[in-house]
Amino acid sequence: MGCRLLGTLFGVDGELLERQYRNHLSGYLCWEQLPHAEEWLLFEKNIGVYVGLDEVCLSRGELYTVLINKERKGRSGSLIAVVKGTDVKTVTSVLLRLSRRTPRHRPFPCAETRL
């Protein structure tokens, strides 16, 4: 439910409520990714063993490269990175910012465990 709808329901200025939430309550202005948020976003905590890389076209023909965690199957926590554009150098420079630590790997199931 958006702030404007809440404003309509409770008889307050919805636009003012939206601005106050964005600027004071949400911590948006203190967000560490704010300076580069229009160009790229990284959510390193969402990385997993199985990832997918794809291009998506949003409104007005804007192309974005998206890295997702396939294990999450589109649920919350599936987005790892969003990069504006599809240029290899740009996407690579952003993805190299991900930690070099390896995610916890699951061992492959043994043939004996399958029944």
Side-chain angles (χ1 to χ4, degrees):
M1 182 179 299
C3 291
R4 291 183 186 193
L5 179 59
L6 280 173
T8 303
L9 293 174
F10 291 100
V12 295
D13 184 2
E15 290 183 25
L16 176 63
L17 182 61
E18 187 175 14
R19 279 195 314 274
Q20 287 176 338
Y21 177 77
R22 183 187 67 227
N23 296 334
H24 302 288
L25 301 174
S26 71
Y28 173 74
L29 296 176
C30 301
W31 187 34
E32 71 272 359
Q33 294 198 41
L34 184 61
H36 56 77
E38 289 189 23
E39 298 299 318
W40 54 272
L41 295 171
L42 285 178
F43 302 101
E44 190 172 344
K45 65 180 180 175
N46 296 342
I47 199 161
V49 178
Y50 303 105
V51 297
L53 187 66
D54 200 4
E55 299 171 353
V56 294
C57 181
L58 299 178
S59 64
R60 292 179 265 141
E62 298 170 333
L63 281 174
Y64 289 87
T65 303
V66 178
L67 184 69
I68 60 165
N69 182 345
K70 286 188 164 192
E71 291 178 308
R72 298 297 303 156
K73 299 181 181 176
R75 295 186 311 252
S76 177
S78 63
L79 191 61
I80 300 170
V82 179
V83 182
K84 186 175 186 178
T86 57
D87 180 53
V88 174
K89 289 181 181 180
T90 306
V91 173
T92 303
S93 68
V94 171
L95 294 182
L96 285 175
R97 294 173 186 266
L98 289 169
S99 175
R100 300 213 183 259
R101 69 174 171 80
T102 55
R104 294 187 326 213
H105 293 284
R106 292 188 201 149
F108 290 105
C110 297
E112 297 89 31
T113 59
R114 294 184 192 172
L115 298 175

